[in-house]
Amino acid sequence: MRYDSIVEAIGNTPLVRIDPAVHGLRHIDLYAKLEMLNPFGSVKDRAAWNMARDRLAAAAGRGATVVELSSGNTAKALALLAGLHGLPFKSVTNRMRVPEIKDLLLLLGAEIEELPGRSECLDPTDTEDPLTRFHQALADEGGAYLHTDQYFNPRNTEAHATGTGPEIVKDLDGRAPDWFIACVGTAGSSTGVARALREHDPRVGVVGLVADKSDFIPGIRTLDEVHQVGLFDPATYDTVEPVTSDEAIDGMLTLIRRCGLLSGPTGGAAYHGAVRHLRPLDARLTERRTAVFIVCDRAESYLSYVRQRRPELLGRPPRKNSVETLTGEEAARLAKEATVEEARRLLSEGAPPPLVVDLRGPHAYAALHIEGSLNIPDELFAELVRGGLPFARSRPVLLACPVGERSARYAALLTRMGHPGVRSLAGGIVGWRDSGAPLVRD
Amino acid sequence: MALPDMALPLYLRPRLEPPLSALLDEAALLHSLVDALGSPLNVLLPERIAENARRFREVYRKHRLAGQVYFAHKANGSDCLVRALAAADPSVAGVDVASLGELRHALASGLGPGRLLATGPKDPEFLWLAARTGTRVHLDSPGELEQLARLVRKYSLPRIDVLLRLSEFTPAAGSGGVRLLSRRSRFGTPLRELEKALDLVERNEDAVELTGVGYHLDTTGVEEKALALESCVRAMDLCRARGLNPRSVDIGGGFGIGYVEDAGEWERWTTELGQAVLGNRPALTWRGHGYGLRNEGGTLRGAPALYPAHRASAGPAYLDELLSHPGPSTGRPLGTLLLEHLHDLDCEPGRALADQCGLSLARVLEVRHDSGDVLVRLAMNAGDVGLEEHGVLVDPVLLPGRSGRAPAEEGGPEGGAGVFLMGNLCLEADLITRRKVFLPRLPRPGDLLAFANTAGYAMDFHAHRAQRQPVARTVAVTRDGDSWKWCTDERYWPISPSGGPAS
């Protein structure tokens, strides 16, 4: 297919049937609307383009910055759209909670501003929250910003009422599904799709999914937060149900490992919520029904999210030459230490004198260190020893860390690996300083 | 959408630990104290504050850090807490004094100047006494530095140790291009003016010795503090490069307290507040007050101006979290970074060190039914218990009066009774809290309400003598074997476990 601009590739995403052997529903055909296959990677491409398209030319004329409250896919899509039109993009967010997304946004050239945290010493007369200030600042700047305002902008909903929704009906041979299940973020996709489907058949059941209050699923609001969304209207949904991050990851694993769909956790939440909602209904059915859920984006950006919550999914076998493999007995038996006095004697009289390896971070080393020492920060040192001894056995080594704990463990490890002359500086650099021994900066 | 179960009382029950929890079981003792000394009454448990300081020291030990924990005196003006700290091992805690009065009080309580740190904006008398006694001064501004140096010279005072308070931290280049916004503070020297401030330090080297730099940020956000702390470590490098020899990084206070025991109760209440503001349920507050939330066309706007009353991580645990947090540009845990740079860590917890150290008692004067609401008038006003002033929402504990148990029918559904707590001033706004408070049963005149955990900022900070209503007296209570001993605050000296004469 040939296009003049990548924006023409937004929309017309596939609707893929989930194998009944996977979901176990006997009377319901469950379809995934693969919004992750939009060109910028998510369902937000549609809303971002629809909110910005008619305003970009004028914004370019006055040199405006595109700005949005987003820490995820909307920011990603807007950053790319802004770049296409030669405009800067600024994302304002409470906290970037997924590091890969943050890195990706920076790669796309976005500027990120994080709003301040909650006040510890509350000023009760100050009822203006950072968001209100954000809106005031946008207004004050006159035309300097193109604010897409995704939580309140009806063109967000419209993108789905005229795009996503009708596409589903078309792909189901002109019928609306019996159920539509979607996660609620800005409420744009769920509201827009629900509107289009109900115009076709008012009996469509709509299930909105939100995160548990104390939980976090990227792109989904919690039960409280949805009420802060201008596009959210409780009447859109027949029911609003909570999903946990654990369930979202379970759903994501099923889509990835059983269905060949490289879904992120939000799509996983939609799948899990859909099956959970439909299972009891399915048991009472005698004729065939259809249900559709949205797979909003892809898995790759959420590896750290998964690692944080389910580290076993990304587990690696323990490494051989690492301090983690030392037993307590080994650490105590194998670690040879040198007091500050002994160390100073070895340095002045040793033949040869020991190589001093300072395991602290480079900034700390640069500020003050033992003269002639070599800096290998402990995480680099860990990598280095994994492959074998980094020193000749004939060269004595003195390891130093802040207080002599890390260095003692590494001394034990190197001794276990066969080095005969490794010692740890007892009391570390702190002990060295406290005994009045000299430290230098270069 | 599922409707909330409105039949359940929306409790926000306090987190109670010994000895405060045990003291609250002593209703007869607390009643007799109020009979004798009047309502309102502040009750302090001085022994707990040293225990709290030791818990902070545990975190220092875990991260192998040296330095001092200073109690921010402003959190509580009483004698007994400061005297209890004076009696603790000097390595456990010192006191942060923010006025001439606090400095004099700490010195008079037995703390030597080596255990004190003078903070905040200072008047000349405060600076003079600090310099005269050798109390380290946390400088608020370059102007204060010059003023201090002039005093030292003019009155031939000894050279004085100072810390520089820094502010307005921005991420270093290469730290990810993310601009972290923080509330601006009125206090401290902007980081970008550090070089100028150090010029000033060097010009006044005869009078002051720079021993460290610090910050204090009003936020619960660990990321903002991480940025500030790492920036301070960089500032220390700059000082060293210029030949100065500072030793400590001061990270201020703001470690917080968890007031409400149960996360579920807190989350349910805050959810219901939003629903009430949206009109989906009956109001939870006096005249529908939204605590900063408002309803704009069915959408909730604004942010709740509330202290996070349930906190998963507060006090020493919050310090631990901060020290374990990676520095935004170095990526090294901040505790490790401090240790590697051989820096000491100083901090000034106020609220967190006063955790579980006391309670405020109020007598119920009147219970009135008023167009569907129950108004409970207390012999206390909003100034006497400053919880609401700090946005802290937590239930008082009902201590029944001598008339015995109330008949069951006085309770609301499920035994819970929702009431509004009114103060003793002739002022519409004098509510102890604007929240409808749920109690296990309807209070009766003569009952006591015990507001737990008020020792940090909620006792004397806002108290006043308006209308010549009595200001609360303060008593110090100590455990004595199986019983309790008490004395008035000013009579407390920590020379025996019971606070009485040493045996």
Side-chain angles (χ1 to χ4, degrees), chain A residues 161-162 166 169 176 192-204:
Chain A
T162 58
V169 173
V193 171
R195 187 187 302 159
L197 299 183
R198 282 187 174 135
E199 271 167 19
H200 209 82
D201 182 348
R203 292 167 303 176
V204 177

Side-chain angles (χ1 to χ4, degrees), chain B residues 347-420:
Chain B
C347 64
E348 295 89 45
R351 193 190 297 273
L353 277 183
D355 185 24
Q356 303 289 324
C357 287
L359 55 90
S360 304
L361 294 170
R363 181 83 78 199
V364 174
L365 294 177
E366 181 196 6
V367 178
R368 184 152 51 101
H369 294 262
D370 182 83
S371 51
D373 289 328
V374 182
L375 310 188
V376 174
R377 184 159 57 90
L378 301 179
M380 155 191 271
N381 59 58
D384 293 315
V385 59
L387 292 170
E388 181 88 351
E389 185 66 26
H390 286 255
V392 175
L393 302 184
V394 58
D395 293 345
V397 177
L398 179 68
L399 301 172
R402 290 185 185 75
S403 52
R405 289 171 63 93
E409 61 266 26
E410 285 189 25
E414 302 254 320
V419 302
F420 287 104

Side-chain angles (χ1 to χ4, degrees), chain A residues 236-363:
Chain A
T236 301
Y237 310 91
D238 295 288
T239 166
V240 173
E241 297 173 3
V243 218
T244 67
S245 54
D246 230 24
E247 292 167 340
I249 293 174
D250 282 340
M252 174 178 125
L253 284 178
T254 305
L255 293 178
I256 292 175
R257 295 183 176 179
R258 301 286 314 279
C259 308
L261 300 178
L262 210 45
S263 164
T266 321
Y271 171 76
H272 182 96
V275 175
R276 186 181 62 188
H277 182 81
L278 297 174
R279 194 172 289 134
L281 304 171
D282 182 66
R284 294 195 297 272
L285 285 175
T286 50
E287 63 237 84
R288 291 221 70 76
R289 294 273 195 264
T290 52
V292 171
F293 68 97
I294 287 183
V295 177
C296 135
D297 66 359
R298 292 167 63 104
E300 289 91 331
S301 295
Y302 301 102
L303 293 176
S304 64
Y305 177 84
V306 173
R307 188 177 296 122
Q308 213 176 23
R309 285 164 178 80
R310 300 276 282 276
E312 75 280 4
L313 291 173
L314 304 172
R316 293 187 206 144
R319 299 182 303 202
K320 192 166 61 117
N321 290 329
S322 73
V323 288
E324 285 75 33
T325 62
L326 283 173
T327 64
E329 183 274 326
E330 277 179 320
R333 179 168 50 87
L334 298 175
K336 280 182 287 184
E337 291 196 324
T339 63
V340 173
E341 204 180 317
E342 286 163 351
R344 293 185 75 176
R345 200 171 51 240
L346 286 170
L347 283 168
S348 60
E349 297 165 17
L355 177 67
V356 183
V357 178
D358 188 330
L359 299 171
R360 297 175 302 154
H363 289 86

Side-chain angles (χ1 to χ4, degrees), chain A residues 90 92-96 102-103 106 110-133 135 149 152 212-215 223-232 234-235 237-240 359-368 377-379 401-403 405 429-431 433-434 439 441, chain B residues 1-2 62 64 175-183 217-225 234 236-238 240-241 247 253-257 266-272 275 278 280 291-294 296 298-308 311 329-330 332 336-337 339-344 351 388-392 434 457:
Chain A
K90 178 156 92 174
V92 180
T93 155
N94 274 323
R95 285 290 171 263
M96 296 296 294
K102 178 158 149 179
D103 288 346
L106 292 168
E111 183 192 338
I112 304 175
E113 265 186 15
E114 295 190 357
L115 295 168
R118 299 277 292 271
S119 172
E120 165 64 32
C121 229
L122 196 86
D123 176 359
T125 58
D126 181 14
T127 52
E128 289 286 84
D129 58 302
L131 270 189
T132 308
R133 286 208 191 92
H135 286 285
D149 201 10
F152 289 83
D212 265 354
K213 186 165 177 176
S214 52
D215 209 345
L223 195 50
D224 279 11
E225 289 165 345
V226 290
H227 294 289
Q228 300 161 11
V229 175
L231 302 178
F232 176 78
Y237 310 91
D238 295 288
T239 166
V240 173
L359 299 171
R360 297 175 302 154
H363 289 86
Y365 173 82
L368 279 177
D378 57 6
E379 67 267 21
C401 73
V403 290
E405 277 183 349
I429 304 285
V430 170
R433 177 199 63 184
D434 290 348
L439 289 169
R441 56 184 295 139
Chain B
M1 293 191 65
K62 180 182 161 192
R64 302 287 181 265
S175 62
V178 177
R179 199 149 76 92
L180 192 60
L181 303 179
S182 273
R183 277 176 206 82
L217 291 182
D218 174 24
T219 179
T220 57
V222 172
E223 290 83 357
E224 288 162 75
K225 291 190 172 175
R234 262 205 314 279
M236 294 280 279
D237 283 350
L238 188 69
R240 274 184 179 163
R247 217 185 142 105
F255 301 95
I257 286 183
W266 174 244
E267 295 194 349
R268 199 155 60 88
W269 192 87
T270 44
T271 296
E272 295 304 305
Q275 291 300 319
L278 287 173
N280 298 337
Y291 284 109
L293 295 177
R294 57 192 190 275
E296 282 182 15
T299 297
L300 213 48
R301 289 278 210 173
L306 291 173
Y307 189 89
R311 295 181 62 160
S329 81
T330 59
R332 288 185 92 68
T336 306
L337 198 66
L339 184 62
E340 288 182 338
H341 280 83
L342 318 179
H343 298 330
D344 290 353
R351 193 190 297 273
E388 181 88 351
E389 185 66 26
H390 286 255
V392 175
R434 284 166 288 194
Y457 291 107

Side-chain angles (χ1 to χ4, degrees), chain A residues 79-94:
Chain A
L80 286 160
L81 288 170
L84 261 179
H85 292 79
L87 294 174
F89 170 71
K90 178 156 92 174
S91 173
V92 180
T93 155
N94 274 323

Side-chain angles (χ1 to χ4, degrees), chain B residues 100 108 206 303 328 366:
Chain B
L100 178 67
D206 59 312
E366 181 196 6

